[in-house]
Amino acid sequence: MEKVVSALEEIKSINNAYGISIDGICKLQAEISEAKVCMPIIGRFSSGKSALVNTILGYSKKIFREDITPETAVPAEIVYTDTEELAAVIGNDGTCRTMSIEDYRGYEADASTVKHTRIQLRNHFLEKIPDVMLVDMPGFESGYEVHNKAIDHYLPQSLAYLVAFPADDMIVRSSVGNILKELCLHEMPLCVVITKYDKKNDEFDITFANMKESLKRFVGDREIRYCWTSSFTGDAEEVEVFLAEIQEKSQDILAGKYRKLLMPILENTQNYLKTELNGSQLSESELDEKEERLHKQLASLGSKFSKEQEDFDLEIAECVQEIKSDVQSAMEAEESSLVAMAMNHQGINEHLNAVVRKAVTISVKRRFLPKVEKYLRRVDKAINSESLGDVHISCSFDVEKLNQDIVGNAVAVAAAALVGGPIVGIIAGIVTGMVALLSGNRKREEAREKIRQKLRGEVFPKVLREIGTNMEMEITKQIKLVNATMEEELTTQKNTLEKAVSDIRQQMNDEKAKKENLAIDIKADLERVEEIKNGLR
């Protein structure tokens, strides 16, 4: 990261010297200054998440309340600061209200209006992990909306998840198991933290072994890190060691991300200097030809990019149909389980939610993401097929983050169809209807058939309609954001090339000696840019 930060500052100085825009550099510098590795802590209510955070922080007076209710549970982001300690409350409408840490200790959030809180602390342990952001998540029983926040909002920026299980209750319930299964679909590293270790009983070893076997049903043979903590004794050493290891990796992780984003900025400056250097040797008529050819090539490049956009837009609707088909197959495969749950007067919404989320995740990764990556390769090929002399135009993408964003947002809009509204009413009606059927001494087989008809005739079609409409809108929105980013980068690089030609024309009447000196300066700067690039590889 030191190399990246140093390279940005140096290229900013070179751009300023030649009047090249530094907006992209400043934007990247601002982002880097705030970059953190996100580490959510998840688990059911009363699993000891907030107590774990309080223990890690080590204050004699607790920062986080441990007696919250679902109505007051919102994600709490915890980061280190070397300046003023404060708490910020971010509302769903984007508003931000700050308060002192002392006031925050007694604060009760309204989960219906507050998106999350962000706590900045001048803390001894946090100082050891300044590039890690802990997130104390609400318990699963707080409802689907908060569950979606845990997965969909934090997933793209998370390196790993801490999963809390209290030592006196290490049963792997379906609410926890389903989220673990989903995290494994994203190849998300997991660390299981056994909290309240002081409350373990004589059967702990047997119970712990059983829990590990239960976890395998959801995560398979995935490697899991296990840690033991106790807020009663103030022991969180194993978790602290794990977090310190993440801190050690954080700079490499962040450097890998920002190195990719820095390359187009370097190439943009490099293109300007190459164009300037080569153009400074041209006569006025040769420069006229170069300028005319450049405009034609840039226009052709824009046309090719637009054509690729139009072609890919046609693929989206077809892909959504394929995803819907996969979701339908997944729901039909779970029909027997859903019928059995309804027959036992159990709500089926949570199970159906998990089935849909898993099916959408797998289908988007299998069907849509390969199409996105092919599209980006086609665009890159179209851009580079235009010969612009010895300059190179490119677009930067963090493909891994882009893929996570697309999957996360697709899953979020799919799950939203099951959170509230008509579908929930239909599902609730299934269980209510079964009570009436069974109390009327109808045959159980007749009741089962009625449930199947309700699922096939109302629930499944409604889910698929909602998913199809919402997902097509969300996927189209994501691709538009990708295209807008590419267009912005292409525009920046085109403007830089045109500026280079314009600057050369301004220098045409300079004295020969001045031109020679200019060429020497440009060569030196060009060599330095190349050195910076090589140093980052």
Side-chain angles (χ1 to χ4, degrees), residues 320-482:
V320 169
Q321 289 302 317
E322 293 174 343
I323 295 170
K324 284 173 60 180
S325 178
D326 290 341
V327 173
Q328 181 174 357
S329 297
M331 291 192 296
E332 290 173 350
E334 289 294 313
E335 184 180 280
S336 297
S337 297
L338 296 170
V339 170
M341 292 173 69
M343 289 291 292
N344 292 325
H345 302 168
Q346 295 176 274
I348 66 173
N349 199 30
E350 180 181 349
H351 186 68
L352 190 58
N353 181 286
V355 170
V356 169
R357 291 178 68 91
K358 179 181 177 181
V360 169
T361 300
I362 294 174
S363 188
V364 170
K365 292 177 74 171
R366 182 163 65 94
R367 297 188 183 278
F368 188 62
L369 294 189
K371 288 183 171 63
V372 174
E373 291 177 8
K374 287 181 181 178
Y375 168 58
L376 295 179
R377 286 197 296 269
R378 290 199 305 270
V379 170
D380 187 63
K381 183 178 179 181
I383 289 173
N384 287 293
S385 66
E386 286 296 330
S387 175
L388 300 175
D390 55 355
V391 302
H392 173 70
I393 288 184
S394 65
C395 290
S396 63
F397 287 102
D398 186 339
V399 176
E400 184 176 348
K401 183 179 185 305
L402 174 62
N403 288 350
Q404 287 180 328
D405 286 344
I406 291 174
V407 173
N409 285 291
V411 171
V413 298
L418 299 171
V419 173
I423 294 179
V424 171
I426 295 171
I427 294 173
I430 291 177
V431 177
T432 303
M434 286 313 95
V435 174
L437 278 173
L438 296 175
S439 62
N441 296 319
R442 300 286 186 93
K443 293 180 179 179
R444 293 186 67 81
E445 188 54 45
E446 183 181 348
R448 289 191 184 92
E449 186 57 33
K450 289 284 187 183
I451 298 173
R452 291 190 192 98
Q453 291 176 7
K454 195 84 169 177
L455 289 171
R456 296 173 185 174
E458 295 185 48
V459 176
F460 293 171
K462 181 68 176 176
V463 170
L464 293 173
R465 283 195 298 273
E466 292 286 332
I467 285 176
T469 300
N470 295 340
M471 191 173 300
E472 186 160 0
M473 291 174 58
E474 183 59 36
I475 286 176
T476 300
K477 174 185 171 185
Q478 291 291 316
I479 297 305
K480 283 184 177 178
L481 291 174
V482 171

Side-chain angles (χ1 to χ4, degrees), residues 183-210:
L183 290 176
C184 286
L185 292 174
H186 297 280
E187 300 182 356
M188 186 68 60
L190 301 172
C191 176
V192 169
V193 182
I194 306 301
T195 59
K196 306 179 184 179
Y197 190 62
D198 53 283
K199 293 186 178 181
K200 68 173 183 173
N201 55 35
D202 295 338
E203 303 293 322
F204 175 81
D205 291 338
I206 296 174
T207 308
F208 179 59
N210 290 337

